[in-house]
Amino acid sequence: SDLWFGGDDDKSFLHARDDADFAAMKRLEGTMINASSIEEAGHICLRYLRRAREIQSLSEPSRFVYQSGQDCFGRHVVILLGARLPPLGLQDERTIPLFVKELEALQREKFLLLYVNSEVDNTDTSILEVLQEMLAVIQ
């Protein structure tokens, strides 16, 4: 015999899988700046860490983040070159993990982040979005 779903409760049960799939996709594609909870931000951060350990660093001419020694207080200096950020910004799934990879190498030591804005197109809003995400990651 055919099953009949008559009430709203029955229909909501049928959509439970869609809701779970949507939540999983949100964790896989979400950003720290758009996270709706601390738990969601934690999942996103773990995703960045896993990805950072999997990907290879860019070649020297393409690198947008690198360490440059230490300042007079012994803090590591990390340089971020705006002109070399991937043109797709956060849509390039390597952007934030490459940043995280560089910070991971510091082993939780203090650092100074220096952003260089030379040769950056002022109308490119993807750079601001990337910088916001990077700030969210290090907070």
Side-chain angles (χ1 to χ4, degrees), residues 3-4 12 17 20-21 26-28 31 33-34 54 59 73 96-97 114-115 124 130 133 136:
L3 292 175
W4 180 75
S12 67
R17 181 174 180 178
D21 289 345
K26 190 174 179 184
R27 277 196 305 270
L28 290 174
T31 60
I33 53 178
N34 293 327
E54 294 170 356
S59 63
F73 299 107
I96 301 299
L114 177 66
Y115 173 69
D124 188 356
V130 168
E133 186 70 5

Side-chain angles (χ1 to χ4, degrees), residues 51-100:
R51 185 78 175 117
R53 292 176 182 144
E54 294 170 356
I55 60 175
Q56 293 182 350
S57 296
L58 296 174
S59 63
E60 195 63 37
S62 303
R63 286 179 70 185
F64 61 87
V65 60
Y66 61 92
Q67 292 182 46
S68 176
Q70 295 184 335
D71 70 0
C72 62
F73 299 107
R75 298 175 296 192
H76 296 273
V77 177
V78 178
I79 308 291
L80 182 60
L81 300 173
R84 288 191 188 171
L85 284 170
L88 292 176
L90 292 178
Q91 292 176 353
D92 186 334
E93 64 182 34
R94 300 169 307 150
T95 302
I96 301 299
L98 285 167
F99 175 70
V100 169

Side-chain angles (χ1 to χ4, degrees), residues 45 49 53 76 102-111:
C45 192
L49 284 168
R53 292 176 182 144
H76 296 273
E102 200 66 40
L103 297 182
E104 275 263 288
L106 298 175
Q107 300 289 319
R108 296 186 175 257
E109 293 201 26
K110 291 183 180 182
F111 67 93

